[in-house]
Amino acid sequence: MEQFIPVADNFSYTQNLSDASGEFFCLVAEQGHYGGRSLPTNTRQGLYACTINGELLASINTRDGNQVAEMMRQALQKWSQSVDQSAKQSPAGYDNRANNWYDVYPEDGMVLNLYVRDLPHQSAQVDTRWNLDHIWFAADEVSGLIPGNPVTGHSYSFPQPLSRRIAKLHLVDIARGESPRWKSDDLKRVEMRLRVQQVTVDQIDLYLEGTVRNEAEPSHNINPFTQQKADMPRGVELELRGYLNYNRSAKKFDRFDATASGLRWGATTYNARFNDLGPAQIGFAWELAVDSNVGRTPPQAIFQPTIFNQYELRRKFGH
Amino acid sequence: MSNLARSQPPLTSVPADAQQFDKLHTFIKPKIDELRWTRPTESGSKKSAIVHLGHERQSPSVVPETTALRARRPFFPIHRLFS
């Protein structure tokens, strides 16, 4: 491992980029195990060992550690036999400032980390897998959470566009793998409220409470890899609670801790639930993200064109 | 927290108060051992490099104080959907 530089990347995002990073990934991937394939999907998922010039050394798509180790050994062997020394030099002109979706990061807004994992069953050992996503708020969406005249005990609705966005795009069972976001018609009940807990000169403390119920019918598609059903009827029924502290002078939240917990059921193609259809307990947790390379990873839902447009339009035109 | 410890049922799905909220919130968030990339060395011992996921953690000395403050705040129970 010491002889490799590990890089983790979301290929489904990168392979569709038209900038240098997208071109580089495609250059490598088209030499690999799924190169040239368009059916049953155009996925290029997998593990690749390559030079910085984009020469493929070896690749595989597996979660078997032994197979990965063997792939890496083959890569090292090819590397040691390489006669093209230019592959060991950095290519010129790599554009790391290319325009992409990272540019729509809400610089003046707010970003939350979202974590999700199964909660303990009473009779079974809980699966420890977990996943994360990010929730973005534009600057005006942050200020829109604060009442103009905050009075202790006052309860008011969480802005509906935000509550529906969270329910639709972020309260999705991705604990074990990717899953499509909800459609608008899947949102059966979305209620979120904020209650003013305490008001001081410097700070407003808010309590978040709410319920979300989403349900979706199956697509009735057949998975081309397994010839089995691609998905099953699915849903979530969650209660939300949270503690929020708004810094009035800085005009930003110092705390945004929340949970959404309750039941999930069903399965989608890649969320690995076909052996655990439920209903079973699931939990989501939010907290403020720090500004870092990882923290700037866009929400998974930004890959959906309509969602990208939503974020992009907000950035450009403020609505 | 070990996998065995995590297998115990310490939580209900809906936190009943601020302390339970903290417990559930902490449970869902990744633990420090889940943020490490661990690899065996030649001697068999383990060496880890922490992969920062970009969130800050409270120091242990801070947690009890803030938990106590939250516990004194009025709590507004909401209708329980799941029994």
Side-chain angles (χ1 to χ4, degrees), chain A residues 88 110 116 138 146 162 183 192 197 208 214 229 233 235 242 259 289 304 311:
Chain A
K88 299 182 180 180
M110 178 173 69
V116 53
I146 306 303
L162 280 177
K183 298 174 182 174
M192 295 188 201
Q197 297 281 75
L208 168 69
N214 298 337
K229 291 179 180 177
T259 62
Q304 298 178 4
Y311 280 114

Side-chain angles (χ1 to χ4, degrees), chain A residues 39-109:
Chain A
L39 292 174
T41 73
N42 67 346
T43 182
R44 298 293 184 266
Q45 185 179 49
L47 298 153
Y48 298 87
C50 68
T51 70
I52 56 176
N53 269 2
E55 178 190 359
L56 182 76
L57 298 173
S59 75
I60 196 170
N61 185 19
T62 181
R63 284 183 286 192
D64 184 319
N66 291 328
Q67 293 181 14
V68 174
E70 178 57 30
M71 182 275 286
M72 294 172 72
R73 277 190 286 271
Q74 291 175 7
L76 278 178
Q77 190 175 14
K78 186 172 180 182
W79 171 255
S80 64
Q81 295 170 350
S82 173
V83 293
D84 180 7
Q85 292 303 310
S86 67
K88 299 182 180 180
Q89 299 173 0
S90 177
Y94 188 77
D95 181 10
N96 59 5
R97 295 171 301 163
N99 291 327
N100 59 42
W101 292 334
Y102 284 80
D103 291 345
V104 299
Y105 181 84
E107 300 287 353
D108 302 322

Side-chain angles (χ1 to χ4, degrees), chain B residues 66-77:
Chain B
T66 54
T67 301
L69 285 172
R70 285 175 216 146
R72 286 201 295 272
R73 293 176 185 158
F75 175 69
F76 300 90

